[in-house]
């Protein structure tokens, strides 16, 4: 009789522990998923901001380019166009990688 009670209590305790662990894992997974979404949105906003700053720099470069055909402004514009192209390619590659998750 005592062995039946002990085995029943052990089963109840292990069942409760498994239930609590499952609840904790589900909660953690949901939080991680939400954090990942927020970080992805934050990264997109940062990249949009950088792109807007780049466009502003291009606008300034165009003004300077009209005043001075050669020199620093032309080099800055060329470098920006190169980096902007690399950034867009990176974003396209990463957005296709994130869609599969």
């Amino acid at each position: 009789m005592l062995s039946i009670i002990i085995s029943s209590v052990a089963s109840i305790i292990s069942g409760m522990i498994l239930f609590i662990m499952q609840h904790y894992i589900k909660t953690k997974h949901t939080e991680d998923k939400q954090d990942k979404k927020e970080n992805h949105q934050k990264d997109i906003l940062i990249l949009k901001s950088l792109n807007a700053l780049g466009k502003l720099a291009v606008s300034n470069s165009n003004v300077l380019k009209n005043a001075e055909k050669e020199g620093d402004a032309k080099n800055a514009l060329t470098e920006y166009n190169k980096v902007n192209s690399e950034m867009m390619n990176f974003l396209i590659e990463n957005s296709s990688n994130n869609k599969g998750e």
Side-chain angles (χ1 to χ4, degrees):
M1 178 72 178
L2 182 61
S3 63
I4 293 173
I5 293 173
I6 291 174
S7 107
S8 296
V9 169
S11 294
I12 291 170
I13 291 172
S14 66
M16 288 175 60
I17 290 172
L18 288 174
F19 174 78
I20 291 170
M21 286 176 59
Q22 182 182 19
H23 177 70
Y24 173 77
I25 290 170
K26 281 183 181 178
T27 304
K28 183 71 174 157
H29 178 70
T30 303
E31 290 172 359
D32 289 346
K33 201 173 188 180
Q34 188 175 14
D35 288 345
K36 190 175 181 180
K37 268 186 186 177
E38 289 175 4
N39 285 339
H40 182 66
Q41 289 174 340
K42 199 183 309 180
D43 291 343
I44 288 173
L45 289 174
I46 288 170
L47 291 172
K48 283 182 178 180
S49 175
L50 289 173
N51 195 27
L53 287 172
K55 287 180 180 181
L56 181 61
V58 168
S59 174
N60 289 338
S61 294
N62 286 335
V63 169
L64 292 174
K65 186 170 65 171
N66 290 337
E68 180 181 89
K69 292 291 181 187
E70 299 294 326
D72 292 341
K74 189 172 183 180
N75 292 337
L77 182 60
T78 303
E79 185 176 344
Y80 169 76
N81 286 331
K82 179 183 171 190
V83 171
N84 188 46
S85 175
E86 289 176 17
M87 182 179 65
M88 293 307 289
N89 289 336
F90 176 79
L91 286 174
I92 291 169
E93 288 174 15
N94 280 341
S95 67
S96 64
N97 290 341
N98 288 334
K99 286 181 183 178
E101 294 176 357

